[in-house]
Amino acid sequence: MKIVVSGLGIIGASLCASLKKAGYKVYGKNRSSEPLEYALSHGMIDKAVQTYDDADIVFLALPPAVTVQELEGGVFKKGAIVADICGVKSVLEEVVYAKPHNYRYVGTHPMAGKETSGIRSASATLFSGANLIVTVCDQTDPAALAQIERLGKEMGFGRIERCSARTHDEKIAITSQLAHIVANAYGKSERAKDCAGFTGGSFQDMTRIAGVDEEMWSQLYLYNREPLLQETEGLISRLNEYRDALANGDGDKMRELLKEGRLAHEIYRKKK
Amino acid sequence: MKIVVSGLGIIGASLCASLKKAGYKVYGKNRSSEPLEYALSHGMIDKAVQTYDDADIVFLALPPAVTVQELEGGVFKKGAIVADICGVKSVLEEVVYAKPHNYRYVGTHPMAGKETSGIRSASATLFSGANLIVTVCDQTDPAALAQIERLGKEMGFGRIERCSARTHDEKIAITSQLAHIVANAYGKSERAKDCAGFTGGSFQDMTRIAGVDEEMWSQLYLYNREPLLQETEGLISRLNEYRDALANGDGDKMRELLKEGRLAHEIYRKKK
């Protein structure tokens, strides 16, 4: 079984390392050569390749727009399993099923990452115990799905969650995408720029993921416009309630708002 | 030298444990008896006391409104050093200096905590390497200030930052207070309530501090109304820019907004 991972960033290279650790032979594909050399010298891949030609399984660990291009025009072996790792799914299914393709598509989204990117942040344990979302629809090939889920388990993922692309995109808008917007927007306050000595864990956590790769995330956001717009407007509307309570000096209302948030937290913190 | 710590929650009991570790004899005061018994049996205090009568140094580790009461009407030994640990400072200075008091006040704010509260979350290492803010004004007694800062070092704090109450309150609005509002508001989304399998580190970090003690935090917020209102409105206004970029499908604008946030992050993440 020949597995090719295309795109050796933090996720792609961590897929390579995890698959290697699980005993598989792994081939790496990347536009620039430096990550390939790094992956070879760190035992993350067995060999660098230029094409997907004879691969049985291909992981596309590429930016969203490039993933779309590859799913549309990439040359794969007939019946190959092609899995992407993008943070949006509906737009990819549209591309995959808009016309006949000779490969079997499975969408995946490893719910793991770091605030840093690139192959130097990759590791064989990045996915240990993490959630893996796998998107399915009527056209999904059951054998391909089972194969990808098996690899997910072998790579160390904890819970594997199967859902539709639409469900994925709606949930991810709040569990990941909006969090990156908020972190990014939060620290732009003038007073944050000169905060040495005035921060604790809450500021660090709030802004940990603020340093987003703007190219990738703006693509993800626009590919998931509707759910993300709903969630962004929802949060703004909720923040305005706290704002009003403050402006009115209304302690009772503030306490009530905070209590609601605490009770919600008690529910969702048990679900990861 | 007799040190009394009043209020054995997470911060108060951690002060006790840290002072004990540094070799001091520590007396604990608390309204209810259970935390006193816990502190005694865990070696956090040497003795429980009912008053501040003969204390040389008193730490008030109490909720903001109770701190105000104690600073206003508490009975202290003449010349005693009284330090609070509240997350707001201007309002306390107003109380302290509104009329003559026989004690020497020093405001402190340990920039450490956890998402849990109460004495069971306390530890002798909670403050290790953390920032300690100490507020000063013209009336601050230099010897009392030096004594508190010395204890701060001995308790393991890293950086000790001296500033005015006003500066403290303005900075803390963004480095702590608003972060708690955002975390609290974030997870109220309907979609967050059923997010099992769909979260990664970004959702966890964004909502880690959401379960606030609404009584304490609503007090803190209303005591720091003006700076917090400014910061809340600032964040809402910034979030609206991302919202507009999304609504307009404007990828260039989204990329620009994210880049601004990333560049700001590169500046403030170096300053802790």
Side-chain angles (χ1 to χ4, degrees):
Chain A
M1 187 169 68
K2 182 167 179 181
I3 304 178
V4 172
V5 176
S6 179
L8 300 185
I10 177 172
I11 300 296
S14 294
L15 287 173
C16 292
S18 305
L19 288 165
K20 282 286 291 175
K21 198 177 162 197
Y24 291 96
K25 198 164 175 180
V26 182
Y27 297 78
K29 182 174 180 297
N30 202 71
R31 199 171 44 178
S32 59
S33 60
E34 198 266 332
L36 289 169
E37 286 155 20
Y38 183 96
L40 278 167
S41 67
H42 286 74
M44 292 170 161
I45 58 172
D46 294 284
K47 208 181 155 189
V49 293
Q50 305 287 332
T51 68
Y52 311 123
D53 279 1
D54 54 351
D56 301 295
I57 300 178
V58 175
F59 284 99
L60 301 175
L62 301 162
V66 186
T67 303
V68 167
Q69 285 168 20
E70 293 294 86
L71 289 173
E72 224 158 18
V75 178
F76 302 98
K77 187 168 89 170
K78 186 168 185 299
I81 299 173
V82 178
D84 77 296
I85 53 87
C86 269
V88 287
K89 289 285 168 270
S90 300
V91 66
L92 301 187
E93 276 196 0
E94 281 166 31
V95 166
V96 169
Y97 300 114
K99 58 173 190 178
H101 284 102
N102 72 343
Y103 59 82
R104 294 176 290 163
Y105 172 72
V106 180
T108 81
H109 186 180
M111 295 301 291
K114 285 186 189 166
E115 61 275 30
T116 51
S117 59
I119 194 166
R120 281 174 180 74
S121 300
S123 85
T125 57
L126 183 67
F127 307 129
S128 295
N131 293 319
L132 176 67
I133 308 173
V134 179
T135 51
V136 293
C137 64
D138 293 345
Q139 294 99 314
T140 304
D141 179 76
L145 175 64
Q147 176 68 274
I148 290 297
E149 292 187 340
R150 199 175 311 126
L151 289 178
K153 285 276 179 215
E154 290 176 358
M155 282 191 276
F157 283 96
R159 176 172 181 150
I160 296 184
E161 184 73 25
R162 236 184 245 186
C163 67
S164 71
R166 177 76 196 172
T167 296
H168 167 275
D169 289 356
E170 285 179 357
K171 301 222 180 196
I172 231 61
I174 183 71
T175 63
S176 169
Q177 293 191 329
L178 182 57
H180 286 79
I181 285 182
V182 171
N184 190 265
Y186 193 91
K188 287 186 189 176
S189 162
E190 272 307 310
R191 284 176 183 146
K193 290 180 185 163
D194 186 26
C195 62
F198 291 87
T199 64
S202 52
F203 183 75
Q204 261 76 276
D205 280 5
M206 182 57 57
T207 57
R208 182 179 61 81
I209 52 173
V212 295
D213 172 342
E214 61 262 18
E215 186 57 44
M216 186 184 80
W217 284 94
S218 57
Q219 287 174 21
L220 288 171
Y221 291 160
L222 291 185
Y223 279 141
N224 200 27
R225 222 171 120 185
E226 192 202 317
L228 182 56
L229 188 56
Q230 284 170 12
E231 291 299 336
T232 307
E233 290 177 346
L235 178 63
I236 291 170
S237 153
R238 295 196 295 281
L239 288 175
N240 268 313
E241 295 186 90
Y242 297 76
R243 184 237 158 256
D244 292 347
L246 266 180
N248 301 329
D250 189 342
D252 290 341
K253 181 67 182 172
M254 180 59 82
R255 204 159 35 240
E256 185 193 316
L257 290 169
L258 293 173
K259 187 180 175 185
E260 280 171 14
R262 175 173 63 74
L263 295 177
H265 183 244
E266 285 173 13
I267 294 170
Y268 62 70
R269 75 170 168 178
K270 288 173 195 149
K271 306 175 180 173
K272 290 204 278 189
Chain B
M1 186 168 69
K2 183 167 179 181
I3 304 178
V4 173
V5 176
S6 180
L8 300 185
I10 177 172
I11 300 296
S14 295
L15 287 174
C16 293
S18 305
L19 287 165
K20 282 285 290 174
K21 199 177 161 198
Y24 291 96
K25 199 165 174 181
V26 182
Y27 296 79
K29 181 174 181 297
N30 202 71
R31 200 170 44 176
S32 59
S33 60
E34 198 266 332
L36 288 168
E37 286 154 20
Y38 183 96
L40 278 167
S41 68
H42 286 74
M44 292 171 162
I45 59 171
D46 294 283
K47 209 181 154 190
V49 293
Q50 305 287 332
T51 68
Y52 311 124
D53 279 2
D54 54 352
D56 302 295
I57 300 177
V58 176
F59 283 99
L60 300 175
L62 301 161
V66 186
T67 302
V68 166
Q69 284 169 21
E70 293 294 85
L71 288 173
E72 224 158 17
V75 177
F76 302 98
K77 187 168 90 171
K78 184 168 186 301
I81 299 172
V82 179
D84 77 296
I85 54 87
C86 270
V88 287
K89 288 287 168 269
S90 301
V91 68
L92 301 186
E93 276 195 0
E94 280 166 29
V95 166
V96 170
Y97 300 114
K99 58 174 189 175
H101 283 101
N102 72 344
Y103 59 82
R104 294 176 289 164
Y105 172 74
V106 180
T108 81
H109 186 181
M111 295 302 291
K114 284 186 190 168
E115 62 274 31
T116 52
S117 59
I119 194 167
R120 279 173 181 74
S121 300
S123 84
T125 55
L126 183 67
F127 307 129
S128 296
N131 293 319
L132 177 67
I133 308 173
V134 179
T135 52
V136 295
C137 64
D138 293 346
Q139 294 99 315
T140 305
D141 179 76
L145 175 64
Q147 176 68 276
I148 291 297
E149 290 186 340
R150 199 175 311 125
L151 289 178
K153 285 276 178 215
E154 289 176 358
M155 282 191 275
F157 282 98
R159 176 172 180 149
I160 296 184
E161 184 73 24
R162 234 184 246 186
C163 67
S164 71
R166 178 75 198 171
T167 296
H168 167 274
D169 290 356
E170 286 179 355
K171 300 222 180 196
I172 231 61
I174 183 72
T175 62
S176 169
Q177 294 191 327
L178 182 57
H180 287 79
I181 286 182
V182 171
N184 190 266
Y186 193 91
K188 288 186 188 176
S189 162
E190 272 308 309
R191 285 177 183 145
K193 288 178 187 165
D194 185 26
C195 62
F198 291 87
T199 64
S202 51
F203 183 75
Q204 262 75 275
D205 280 5
M206 181 58 55
T207 57
R208 182 178 62 82
I209 52 172
V212 295
D213 172 343
E214 61 262 18
E215 187 56 44
M216 186 182 83
W217 283 94
S218 56
Q219 288 175 20
L220 288 172
Y221 291 160
L222 290 184
Y223 279 142
N224 200 27
R225 222 171 121 185
E226 193 202 317
L228 183 56
L229 189 55
Q230 285 169 8
E231 290 299 336
T232 307
E233 290 179 344
L235 178 63
I236 291 170
S237 152
R238 295 196 295 280
L239 288 175
N240 268 312
E241 295 186 88
Y242 297 76
R243 184 236 157 257
D244 292 346
L246 266 181
N248 301 329
D250 189 342
D252 289 342
K253 180 68 182 174
M254 181 59 83
R255 203 159 36 238
E256 185 192 315
L257 290 169
L258 293 172
K259 186 179 175 185
E260 280 171 13
R262 175 174 63 74
L263 295 177
H265 183 245
E266 286 174 12
I267 294 171
Y268 63 71
R269 76 170 167 178
K270 289 174 195 149
K271 307 176 181 174
K272 290 205 278 189

